[in-house]
Amino acid sequence: MGSRTTFRVATIGGIPIRIHVTFLIVLPFLAFSFGQSFVGAARLAGIPPERLGGPPWAWGLALAVALFASVLVHELAHSLYAVRRGGKVRGITLLMIGGVSELAAPPRSEALMALAGPATSLALGGAFIGVARLFRGELPNVSFAVFYLGQLNLWLGAFNLLPAFPMDGGRVLRGALTRRMGPVRATRIAARFGRGFAVVFAMLGFLTANVLLLLVSFVVYAGAEGEARDVELRAALGDLRVGDVASPLTSELGAGDTLLAVADRMRRERRTAYPVVGEGRVVGIVTAHAVRRVPAERRGDVLAGEVAREATLAAASDRVVDALHVLGRPGAPELVVVVDGGRPVGTLSQLDVERAIELRELEPPPVAGAAPHDAPFTRRA
Ligand SMILES: [Zn+2]
């Protein structure tokens, strides 16, 4: 997630909390709609609007902010559980449709981590409703707002428990299935559930003109697809390291080389990218694409340093699956592979990875009985 679209607002327990711009866009909208439904619900509960005190939008805004605070508590439950169980959390981002805990490494039990969020929301909901009861006599308006917030939390917990992978309930489902059939098949099945729910959400969203539900359906659908693809890739790539599949470098470029020489060397060595090296360190990358953009007759006058762009580095010891996430980003069609000390040893492109997957298929199958019992990567003979 780019830093231009999110900004950091706090750090809790070492976990950075960020807010996405879409959250700020949806806040007034939520304040308005909560204000409307709050007044309506209060009337149903026998509280006349004039006894609420304060305009509906103020109640709506307070509720919207409190709801997002509740979402944050829900995400913190996931993240703090993950950290305590050996996982690594990059941060929590609050978005228009809820929160996301970004994991750098999953904890030992994904299912329990997934349960921690909804369980916290349900407990919070029950606690709010209990507190609301206490103040019912003296402060009917505050009591009603707290009651309403309690209901929102119950709803948040229950909705997230739906087995709509990658929502929390779907992760619990995948965790249960993984124990029986390994991560690849489990994810495939959980993703099927996720896509099915996404279609149902979309239909309900259309029928009730609920924009948020429509957005949730898109996010769930794309998330299910993406995670399924990711697990298949992980299975195909296994423990391969970047250094094993990169195209090795036979020579380097200096910033002072002309594009004429660069183009010549690219054709001769059949490469489409070279790191530009200065004083033993990578200072940029020149791709065939960048050379092509300079007209052929000018390539004798333009230097590699002038068309080089910032290089994205990957360590030779990095896992290929992790490097692939970086490769997928715009602006990083090829990574420069370095060993410790920053010396470049190769480049990595999508093509290198595809070739590695194909070559891996040629490996002899593992000897029967020798594979670890939950190895998802072993093929049946
Ligand atoms: Zn959750």
Side-chain angles (χ1 to χ4, degrees):
M1 208 153 285
S3 54
R4 278 162 297 168
T5 50
T6 63
F7 42 95
R8 193 164 163 162
V9 287
T11 303
I12 300 175
I15 298 165
I17 313 294
R18 289 180 285 262
I19 284 183
H20 194 259
V21 284
T22 52
F23 166 77
L24 294 179
I25 295 168
V26 82
L27 198 59
F29 165 76
L30 273 184
F32 175 76
S33 74
F34 277 147
Q36 296 287 313
S37 55
F38 181 69
V39 172
R43 197 175 287 132
L44 276 181
I47 302 170
E50 59 275 11
R51 276 196 64 199
L52 284 176
W57 66 262
W59 285 104
L61 183 65
L63 273 173
V65 170
L67 174 63
F68 270 93
S70 304
V71 170
L72 178 59
V73 171
H74 172 114
E75 291 306 324
L76 273 173
H78 285 307
S79 289
L80 293 175
Y81 179 89
V83 170
R84 273 186 54 185
R85 290 304 166 115
K88 274 200 198 110
V89 178
R90 226 174 267 142
I92 292 174
T93 305
L94 292 180
L95 301 144
M96 178 174 193
I97 55 159
V100 195
S101 298
E102 288 158 71
L103 287 184
R108 276 185 289 281
S109 169
E110 193 204 20
L112 286 178
M113 181 193 80
L115 267 183
T120 303
S121 295
L122 292 177
L124 209 56
F128 279 140
I129 288 173
V131 167
R133 288 244 162 94
L134 291 180
F135 294 100
R136 203 161 38 182
E138 310 91 272
L139 295 164
N141 49 1
V142 175
S143 146
F144 190 68
V146 174
F147 176 78
Y148 198 83
L149 185 62
Q151 283 197 322
L152 287 174
N153 270 285
L154 289 184
W155 169 246
L156 183 69
F159 185 70
N160 275 289
L161 278 178
L162 290 176
F165 184 79
M167 278 170 40
D168 296 334
R171 293 194 182 277
V172 175
L173 172 71
R174 172 167 78 169
L177 293 174
T178 298
R179 243 169 284 155
R180 289 175 45 201
M181 52 185 72
V184 178
R185 273 192 66 204
T187 306
R188 217 176 276 159
I189 292 171
R192 218 171 287 155
F193 270 84
R195 287 194 299 261
F197 270 100
V199 171
V200 174
F201 292 161
M203 290 194 299
L204 288 176
F206 269 119
L207 287 176
T208 59
N210 186 331
V211 181
L212 276 183
L213 198 53
L214 281 175
L215 277 173
V216 168
S217 81
F218 281 119
V219 171
V220 167
Y221 197 95
E225 294 263 281
E227 294 227 15
R229 207 179 318 125
D230 197 63
V231 169
E232 305 261 347
L233 259 180
R234 273 176 196 274
L237 290 170
D239 209 27
L240 272 183
R241 303 287 153 162
V242 167
D244 301 329
V245 308
S247 295
L249 271 183
T250 44
S251 61
E252 299 158 350
L253 289 187
D257 293 348
T258 68
L259 292 193
L260 202 60
V262 174
D264 192 47
R265 203 189 296 174
M266 281 181 171
R267 284 204 311 276
R268 207 171 50 232
E269 295 182 1
R270 305 178 64 77
R271 299 185 60 92
T272 52
Y274 279 98
V276 180
V277 178
E279 292 167 8
R281 299 193 62 83
V282 178
V283 294
I285 185 168
V286 172
T287 59
H289 180 75
V291 176
R292 226 170 38 229
R293 278 166 53 181
V294 177
E297 63 275 13
R298 285 193 48 226
R299 287 181 196 154
D301 308 319
V302 180
L303 304 180
E306 296 171 61
V307 300
R309 56 192 297 169
E310 201 185 328
T312 309
L313 304 184
S317 57
D318 286 350
R319 288 164 57 112
V320 176
V321 259
D322 298 327
L324 213 50
H325 285 291
V326 185
L327 262 183
R329 285 181 209 154
E334 303 226 17
L335 306 184
V336 175
V337 181
V338 295
V339 288
D340 12 61
R343 188 170 59 85
V345 292
T347 54
L348 185 77
S349 70
Q350 205 94 35
L351 279 177
D352 293 314
V353 178
E354 280 164 27
R355 189 177 50 213
I357 292 174
E358 255 190 75
L359 291 177
R360 215 177 152 87
E361 301 277 309
L362 298 181
E363 277 175 23
V367 182
H373 71 280
D374 70 339
F377 316 131
T378 52
R379 248 160 283 124
R380 264 166 293 160

